[in-house]
Each structure stands twice: as structure tokens, then as C-alpha cells.
Amino acid sequence: MSDDLTAAFPKIGEHLQKAAIADLPTPVSQHVLSLDSPRPDIYVKHDDVSSSLYGGNKVRKLEFLLRRAQVRGAQRVATFGAAGSNHALATAIHATELGFECTCFLSQQKATPGVPRILNKHRSLGTEIVRWGGGIENVPLFRQYLQHRRTWVIPLGGTCWLGAVGFVNAAFELVRQVADGRLPAPRHVYMACGTTGSAAGLALGLAAAGMETTVQAIQVADNPFASEQKMHKLIAKTLTVLNRIDPAFTAEEWRDRIVWRDEFLAGGYARVDAATSTAVDVARSQLGLSLETTYTGKAMAAMLHDLRCGQDGPCLFWNTYNSRALGVGSERPPSLDNIPDAFAHYYDASSQNS
């Protein structure tokens, strides 16, 4: 386990400890894309293998968030997401591995092929799944499932200043990999941006490290948490906290390190257009990457678009999608058990193809 942020700022490491759940640093690979324009070299940062249990970008946030739950003496961890939320599943997997009970408040979403497998994994873990959103009143719901249960609550997407620190650390990890000759300093990093925490932390860390790399934050969700304004507020708060811990941590030029991109949303969360589908196909055939259409496919679509338009490089695609096997299928189980009846329709083939 590496902690490049602590290596650069020991005071921060003393104050913000991590749970040892990530396999860091994650590797980088080089590829050549065959496009209509000149054949560009691109690099991939493989956060899909950030943990042997379940990878993806959420693991970096959960290192800090679950450690805080341990320090606070929590018995249960609770979080939020849609029915197919990778964040909620990552939280359930890693929290269970650390000995916590886990509650996930899940809302309805557009049906996609990956949702049944995610629900089946929750079923195998014994996650307490509570239907959330859709007009259900929050106050009585939270009283019932959170009060008097020694619960540590992790926000939607793990997005808060403490979660963002995980990607401040990731930025310093990238800087070290550049220094070690694993890749040249990228001109642009392409990253799917849902609740903004990963992109915010990465941009802040790059600015603090003095690397002149721009994070292209590709909007993939259309909820109140997914906005440029929210992202900027999160960066500013994270900077304030880290600067208070160690005044040597500064990042005055962070606004120059991030660009909000909303033109690849494809109509909303989990919605798909031709550009996204094509990007997933190109990633599979030319890069050997298994992406999905909700998050990483849209980030890949943005990078392909920019490269075809003559984007200067080198470019780095940050793969935030877990590639570890879940060990469950997508078939409807004989009994739903802890899966709410309201989520049964995700197993219908007609819903998956809608």
C-alpha cells in the first residue's frame, strides 16, 4: 500500500489515516488508437484493479471514510445510491470485509444490464437494502434505519472533503509514476464525473503537486450533486481543511486544473447515445478495456471526440470501473430475500434492453 500524499506531507498522514483496503499504486498502460486522425498514443490509469476484492475509483475514497468509521467506533456503515450504484456496492463489499454491518439506501434508476448482478452481490453479502427516493419521506426512513445503531453515514458517492482526499493522494501517485518514467506527464486526464469527488480531489492534488495537467471532468449524472458549482465548492473546502492540517499544502491554481464537460451526458444518468456505445466498443476492441455506458463509456466518448478534433496530448484515461469478478450471476434468484420487491423488475429481460 502506497501513500504518496503522506510522503509529501507527513502532517496530513498523521491526521488522516487510511484503512488498508487498496492495492496501490494502480498500474498504467500505453496504447495506440486507430482513428480517422493521426494515430495518437494514449495512456490508461487502471483504477479498475484498485483492490483485489472490488476495484474502481470508490476504493480510494473508502480508505479514508471507512477508517474514520473505525476510529469513531461505528458498528454499521450506511450510504446511498441508485439500484446499480457501484459506490454502494463497493461500500458494502469493503465495509463487510472490515467487519461492519452495512445499510444501503437505493433509489430507482433506468434499467441497465449490470443492475441485476449488482443486486445479486448485495444479496450474497446480506446488505440491508432500503428503498430510497421516489417520494419516500427521508426523516422517518432515517430514524428507522440510522438512529441508535452506531452507524457511520457515508454520503452519496463517498463525496465529501475526506473522500476527496483519496484522489488528492491519487494525484501524487500519478506524479511519482511520471517521475519514475512510467508515462510522460499527461496534458489531459479524462475521468467520469458523477458526484464530483474523484475529479475534484485529482485536480486539487495535481495543482498542489505543481503538475500542469488538466482534468476533463465528464458529467455523467443530472442530480443536484453533479454540478460544476458543487465541484468547485468541494475543491475549495478540501483545500481549506488540508491547508489547516499542514500550511505547506497549497494549490492556488486549482481552477486551471479542471474543466467541466456536460456535452456527453446523453440525456441523463444511465442514458445511452450512439457516441457512448461506440466508445465502449472502441475501448473493448482497441484498448482491451471493459467499460460500461453509465460512467466510463461517456468519459471515453469525450476523449475520442477530442482526439478526433486534434486534441494535443499525451492523454490519460482514468478507468474508474471495477474489473474484478463479482462471483455472482445476473439471473433472478429463487427468492429475493434482502432485495426489495420494488427492484424485482430489473431482472426482466425487457427492462434490461429498454
Side-chain angles (χ1 to χ4, degrees), residues 1-26 60 63-64 67 162 164-177 242 249:
M1 181 180 70
S2 69
D3 191 337
D4 293 285
L5 178 60
T6 293
F9 298 95
K11 288 183 181 178
I12 293 177
E14 292 173 6
H15 282 78
L16 302 178
Q17 300 176 351
K18 302 193 303 180
I21 63 173
D23 300 325
L24 302 178
T26 58
R60 293 184 184 271
E63 282 198 302
F64 290 92
R67 177 57 185 163
L162 184 58
V165 171
F167 268 86
V168 176
N169 184 40
F172 281 86
E173 176 182 305
L174 177 62
V175 169
R176 177 165 61 86
Q177 289 179 314
L242 293 180
F249 186 94

Side-chain angles (χ1 to χ4, degrees), residues 9-10 40 54 59 112 123 221 230 248 268 271 278 280-281 311 338 349:
F9 298 95
Y54 187 82
V59 177
T112 63
R123 181 176 179 271
K230 294 280 188 181
R271 300 284 177 177
T278 298
V280 171
D281 292 340
Q311 177 73 286
N338 53 320

Side-chain angles (χ1 to χ4, degrees), residues 80 105 131-146:
F80 309 85
F105 295 90
R131 187 183 172 192
W132 171 60
I136 299 174
E137 293 187 21
N138 285 340
V139 173
L141 193 72
F142 295 162
R143 283 175 177 168
Q144 178 179 355
Y145 290 99
L146 297 179

Side-chain angles (χ1 to χ4, degrees), residues 121-269:
K121 185 63 178 181
H122 278 300
R123 181 176 179 271
S124 71
L125 291 168
T127 306
E128 181 180 56
I129 300 177
V130 179
R131 187 183 172 192
W132 171 60
I136 299 174
E137 293 187 21
N138 285 340
V139 173
L141 193 72
F142 295 162
R143 283 175 177 168
Q144 178 179 355
Y145 290 99
L146 297 179
Q147 283 189 344
H148 311 301
R149 301 181 83 184
R150 295 175 61 187
T151 302
W152 178 254
V153 178
I154 294 175
L156 183 71
T159 294
C160 57
W161 73 264
L162 184 58
V165 171
F167 268 86
V168 176
N169 184 40
F172 281 86
E173 176 182 305
L174 177 62
V175 169
R176 177 165 61 86
Q177 289 179 314
V178 169
D180 290 344
R182 302 300 178 104
L183 74 163
R187 187 70 178 269
H188 305 282
V189 174
Y190 289 81
M191 174 180 284
C193 188
T195 54
T196 78
S198 299
L202 185 62
L204 176 60
L206 291 172
M211 179 174 283
E212 294 184 357
T213 297
T214 300
V215 177
Q216 302 287 326
I218 314 304
Q219 182 185 7
V220 300
D222 50 350
N223 57 53
F225 301 95
S227 72
E228 184 177 19
Q229 182 181 20
K230 294 280 188 181
M231 181 176 65
H232 285 182
K233 286 183 178 180
L234 177 60
I235 295 174
K237 181 172 183 178
T238 307
L239 173 58
T240 297
V241 174
L242 293 180
N243 179 258
R244 285 175 179 171
I245 294 173
D246 188 343
F249 186 94
T250 59
E252 295 179 358
E253 298 181 353
W254 65 261
R255 290 180 182 273
D256 297 331
R257 298 293 179 268
I258 192 152
V259 178
W260 179 261
R261 304 283 297 273
D262 60 6
E263 67 267 42
F264 299 92
L265 181 58
Y269 182 78

Side-chain angles (χ1 to χ4, degrees), residues 1-73:
M1 181 180 70
S2 69
D3 191 337
D4 293 285
L5 178 60
T6 293
F9 298 95
K11 288 183 181 178
I12 293 177
E14 292 173 6
H15 282 78
L16 302 178
Q17 300 176 351
K18 302 193 303 180
I21 63 173
D23 300 325
L24 302 178
T26 58
V28 176
S29 60
Q30 181 180 6
H31 306 266
V32 176
L33 275 172
S34 178
L35 300 173
D36 296 335
S37 58
R39 293 162 57 86
D41 287 342
I42 65 115
Y43 296 82
V44 176
K45 179 69 166 159
H46 290 278
D47 268 20
D48 55 302
V49 293
S50 58
S51 167
S52 59
L53 288 178
Y54 187 82
N57 62 315
K58 303 304 181 183
V59 177
R60 293 184 184 271
K61 299 179 182 181
L62 290 170
E63 282 198 302
F64 290 92
L65 296 168
L66 291 176
R67 177 57 185 163
R68 183 62 61 90
Q70 291 175 323
V71 171
R72 294 296 175 88

